[in-house]
Amino acid sequence: MFHVWRCATGPCHVVIPVHLIAITLVLLVSMPCQKRCLHSRCRQICGYPCVPCMETCAWTCRHHACDLRCHEICKRPICNEPCEKLLHCGHPCLGFCGEPCPSICRVCTPQYKDTISLMTMEEFEETDRFVMLPDCGHVFEVSGLDTWMKSEQCDSGTNSISPKSCPSCKNIIRQSLRYGNQIKARMKQLEDVKMRIFGNQQVNEGIVLLRRKQFDEALEQFLTGKNMQIR
Ligand SMILES: [Zn+2]
Ligand SMILES: [Zn+2]
Ligand SMILES: [Zn+2]
Ligand SMILES: [Zn+2]
Ligand SMILES: [Zn+2]
Ligand SMILES: [Zn+2]
Ligand SMILES: [Zn+2]
């Protein structure tokens, strides 16, 4: 029986038979967590439950604000008002109020092409708005990216919980204000999986043995582990 362990927070994306989890954990314990927010970077080791950011939520604009903590699901609507800022070139921003300004301009970057709709700058309407993903800087027309973020992105044949990735460069989307709640909801699912793994006594005993490089005993520990439910 194969189970998927996809860690949202690091490079360790692996599909494994469940009895090989010990070997996977050897990989996990050696990598730093990649999760970050506008305030900080998680200092945990990849695969362990993340330390939640307790700073005040940074998602504020002229119209809406969230007064919860950074890691909590935001209690404010998305702002669909246009950004009123001017770009460095002096032309109006094509983004949304309170979001990072996309690095495209109707006048100065006519070569821009949206990789979801495959439309070029001149094919877009005056009223079309764009969103930039802060992790990689790629820019998309908003309706296409909204649909992408809502869609289930499943790899064929696996029942993985995978974080959303950029439609263009496939980098994991870790930071976005507009899509913050979707990102947090998926991360929460992954955190639940981590808690189930690391809340299991046998697993924890196995990890201690792994740290001492007692691999055979560790594997034994994992194999006898009961109630291991990894999804
Ligand atoms: Zn934060
Ligand atoms: Zn983390
Ligand atoms: Zn606003
Ligand atoms: Zn918030
Ligand atoms: Zn802007
Ligand atoms: Zn311009
Ligand atoms: Zn990208």
Side-chain angles (χ1 to χ4, degrees):
M1 180 110 170
F2 280 81
H3 285 275
V4 177
W5 166 254
R6 262 177 176 269
C7 175
T9 55
C12 45
H13 293 183
V14 282
V15 181
I16 46 155
V18 82
H19 67 272
L20 288 181
I21 192 157
I23 290 149
T24 311
L25 285 166
V26 179
L27 292 170
L28 290 178
V29 293
S30 59
M31 295 178 191
C33 179
Q34 302 287 311
K35 189 168 164 183
R36 64 184 104 86
C37 64
L38 287 167
H39 309 104
S40 61
R41 180 172 208 134
C42 179
R43 301 206 177 275
Q44 271 290 17
I45 290 162
C46 182
Y48 280 119
C50 286
V51 180
C53 176
M54 302 303 268
E55 298 285 335
T56 307
C57 180
W59 195 24
T60 53
C61 74
R62 280 201 302 127
H63 313 94
H64 307 284
C66 172
D67 55 6
L68 299 179
R69 295 187 196 276
C70 179
H71 74 275
E72 294 175 300
I73 295 287
C74 292
K75 271 197 189 142
R76 58 153 276 187
I78 285 169
C79 187
N80 282 317
E81 296 293 324
C83 177
E84 291 175 353
K85 291 180 192 161
L86 292 180
L87 301 171
H88 290 304
C89 57
H91 297 118
C93 173
L94 302 180
F96 286 101
C97 170
E99 299 287 322
C101 296
S103 57
I104 59 166
C105 170
R106 248 181 247 289
V107 181
C108 306
T109 60
Q111 73 279 12
Y112 168 77
K113 188 172 183 177
D114 177 75
T115 52
I116 296 178
S117 64
L118 302 180
M119 281 163 69
T120 57
M121 190 55 102
E122 63 172 16
E123 294 174 286
F124 283 110
E125 305 281 331
E126 279 296 306
T127 51
D128 283 335
R129 291 273 138 192
F130 300 83
V131 178
M132 183 174 75
L133 295 175
D135 295 294
C136 61
H138 284 120
V139 177
F140 304 92
E141 190 276 317
V142 65
S143 63
L145 193 57
D146 280 357
T147 306
W148 167 263
M149 290 302 291
K150 274 186 220 134
S151 67
E152 281 305 314
Q153 182 191 342
C154 270
D155 299 335
S156 53
T158 64
N159 56 348
S160 62
I161 305 163
S162 53
K164 280 285 173 185
S165 54
C166 169
S168 187
C169 68
K170 307 295 176 218
N171 271 323
I172 293 173
I173 302 169
R174 300 172 202 280
Q175 297 180 71
S176 166
L177 296 171
R178 185 179 181 88
Y179 303 114
N181 277 355
Q182 277 141 293
I183 295 169
K184 287 176 197 173
R186 276 176 186 261
M187 292 295 177
K188 170 88 172 54
Q189 287 181 305
L190 276 149
E191 287 300 306
D192 290 347
V193 173
K194 288 187 203 170
M195 289 312 281
R196 260 185 280 158
I197 293 172
F198 291 98
N200 180 293
Q201 197 192 343
Q202 258 108 358
V203 170
N204 282 321
E205 285 168 9
I207 289 165
V208 172
L209 292 169
L210 283 178
R211 289 234 180 88
R212 293 193 207 127
K213 305 220 185 318
Q214 288 162 288
F215 297 114
D216 291 345
E217 278 173 66
L219 186 58
E220 191 75 11
Q221 194 68 246
F222 290 112
L223 287 171
T224 56
K226 298 235 162 57
N227 310 316
M228 281 283 292
Q229 292 273 317
I230 303 154
R231 200 166 65 83

